[in-house]
Amino acid sequence: MTVSAADAARHFAAKLDFETDPSDVKAARDAGERFVLVDSRGHAAWSQARIPGSVHLPTADIRERAAALIPEGTPVVVYCWGPGCNGSTRAALAFSLLGYPVKEMIGGFEYWAREGLGIENDLGPVERPTDELTAPLAVDAISCDC
């Protein structure tokens, strides 16, 4: 099977237009980039733990509630549980159908938490160790430098 270098370049460039990852989302937030991070999971998952500063908007509610929560044209990044769940893909589709510029955070909440990035629940911050298989263990490392 052969794919041309030009076709591969177009494919991977397009993929980066629509996907991001936890460390890039954290870096974008730290840099002050303007976007809304949306947790598309259900209420029980939201209560269990979430990314601080994210907006809770379950996928089933996006069509009816997005406009009241997120100004039209605002860039959106969506996440769900993790790579074994296509909920964030469904959420990204729902936002795109409403006209929002949207990216899907690959790895979802699972990899955000496993990389040692901040999480919280209804009681406040939740401490979790960084998973050495998903992120550098250095205190100030938010990126794998890839």
Side-chain angles (χ1 to χ4, degrees):
M1 174 173 14
T2 313
V3 176
S4 75
D7 286 343
R10 277 190 296 277
H11 167 78
F12 291 113
K15 192 171 177 175
L16 290 171
D17 284 340
F18 301 107
E19 295 179 352
T20 188
D21 64 33
S23 64
D24 286 346
V25 170
K26 169 104 170 53
R29 280 179 142 190
D30 290 350
E33 290 185 30
R34 185 180 76 92
F35 64 94
V36 175
L37 183 60
V38 174
D39 184 322
S40 66
R41 300 173 303 151
H43 298 289
W46 170 263
S47 293
Q48 181 177 318
R50 58 194 169 262
I51 299 172
S54 59
V55 171
H56 185 223
L57 187 54
T59 301
D61 298 340
I62 291 171
R63 176 186 258 182
E64 292 78 25
R65 296 183 49 221
L69 295 173
I70 303 167
E72 184 178 328
T74 301
V76 172
V77 174
V78 296
Y79 72 90
C80 200
W81 273 112
C85 171
N86 67 5
S88 59
T89 303
R90 293 173 191 272
L93 174 60
F95 274 106
S96 67
L97 290 171
L98 293 173
Y100 287 87
V102 61
K103 285 191 174 193
E104 179 180 16
M105 187 176 80
I106 60 172
F109 177 77
E110 176 188 352
Y111 275 77
W112 180 279
R114 290 179 74 185
E115 290 181 20
L117 303 173
I119 63 173
E120 66 183 13
N121 62 22
D122 290 345
L123 302 175
V126 175
E127 295 296 322
R128 282 188 48 91
T130 300
D131 182 337
E132 64 188 31
L133 297 177
T134 63
L137 295 178
V139 174
D140 294 329
I142 63 162
S143 171
C144 62
D145 292 330
C146 55

